[in-house]
Amino acid sequence: MTIHLHEGDLPADVDLGDVIAVDTETMGLATARDRLCLIQLCAGDDEAHLVRFPRRDRPYGAPNLVALLADPGRLKIFHFGRFDLAAVKHWLGVDCAPVYCTKIASRIARTYTDRHGLADLTRELLGIELSKTQQSSDWGADQLTEAQLGYAASDVLHLHALKARLDVMLAREGRADLAQACFDFLGHRVALDLGGWPEVDIFSH
Ligand code: MN
């Protein structure tokens, strides 16, 4: 695994292809309160590009990264994209699309379990143990530790492989269209989160 750390934006000469794994690290779980600190990107190889943001007013202004996230010709793979999409919408001002979410795919394909965490998926589908020990660390620090960088990178390195495995299961169970409809709706779900309906099921009675 090779980690490239960039400050403030993705360099213009980095080409990550048409299917890009994306993850974010923030100061916490409240999107409007807890700033976006880091975005991790991977093209499906063993290289991770990490873009670090110092504290600044929003929108941050990262034109190369924003163009990539908004590019309709590039599919962005997330795990629990609902959180990451809200963070990039709030802090970068970008509507990220089109998207694929391995957590949604897992919930729709793997109905035999309620374990849909990223570490659960990599363990069962890929035989890889992911460490989650740095998950709650200080992502706003001036210097990120080697452990933090390795953890952040590991969160995007397996998403392409997980997507491949989950797509096979979705097709086998006849649920690929349902999953795709959910991916297509995810941006609207995020708009509801940010607009004041964060924990309301608008479809409920
Ligand atoms: Mn992460």
Side-chain angles (χ1 to χ4, degrees):
M1 167 169 82
T2 309
I3 298 175
H4 308 272
L5 184 60
H6 311 290
E7 294 292 324
D9 196 4
L10 192 68
D13 62 352
V14 174
D15 184 2
L16 292 166
D18 296 336
V19 183
I20 305 165
V22 184
D23 187 34
T24 66
E25 303 300 336
T26 67
M27 284 300 292
L29 297 179
T31 296
R33 179 192 67 189
D34 299 327
R35 68 184 171 93
L36 173 65
C37 299
L38 191 74
I39 289 188
Q40 308 97 280
L41 306 151
C42 178
D45 49 19
D46 66 345
E47 297 197 23
H49 288 267
L50 277 47
V51 180
R52 204 182 73 93
F53 301 104
R55 197 175 73 81
R56 57 169 117 153
D57 293 335
R58 68 182 178 93
Y60 287 175
N64 298 333
L65 183 59
V66 164
L68 181 150
L69 294 176
D71 189 339
R74 297 175 194 262
L75 178 67
K76 275 71 68 170
I77 311 173
F78 294 86
H79 183 79
F80 195 52
R82 183 177 174 182
F83 178 79
D84 304 294
L85 292 182
V88 300
K89 173 66 174 178
H90 186 80
W91 295 99
L92 290 172
V94 61
D95 289 303
C96 179
V99 299
Y100 182 105
C101 177
T102 51
K103 187 159 204 165
I104 292 172
S106 177
R107 283 190 187 281
I108 293 176
R110 296 171 65 251
T111 45
Y112 53 82
T113 179
D114 59 359
R115 300 188 69 87
H116 303 288
L118 181 60
D120 298 315
L121 291 183
T122 60
R123 184 184 308 114
E124 180 187 306
L125 300 180
L126 306 176
I128 293 170
E129 283 292 334
L130 272 192
S131 167
K132 282 283 159 190
T133 56
Q134 296 296 316
Q135 190 164 30
S136 304
S137 63
D138 178 9
W139 294 103
D142 289 333
Q143 288 284 330
L144 297 177
T145 66
E146 288 297 319
Q148 282 179 304
L149 296 175
Y151 164 78
S154 71
D155 270 0
V156 288
L157 287 177
H158 308 297
L159 295 184
H160 287 75
L162 287 178
K163 175 182 181 298
R165 296 296 303 271
L166 290 164
D167 281 346
V168 169
M169 297 178 77
L170 287 168
R172 189 190 74 202
E173 299 303 321
R175 298 183 189 143
D177 289 350
L178 182 59
Q180 185 60 51
C182 294
F183 304 149
D184 293 341
F185 183 73
L186 192 51
H188 303 295
R189 177 62 261 184
V190 168
L192 289 165
D193 287 341
L194 294 174
W197 297 267
E199 293 305 329
V200 177
D201 177 2
I202 54 154
F203 298 108
S204 66
H205 178 51

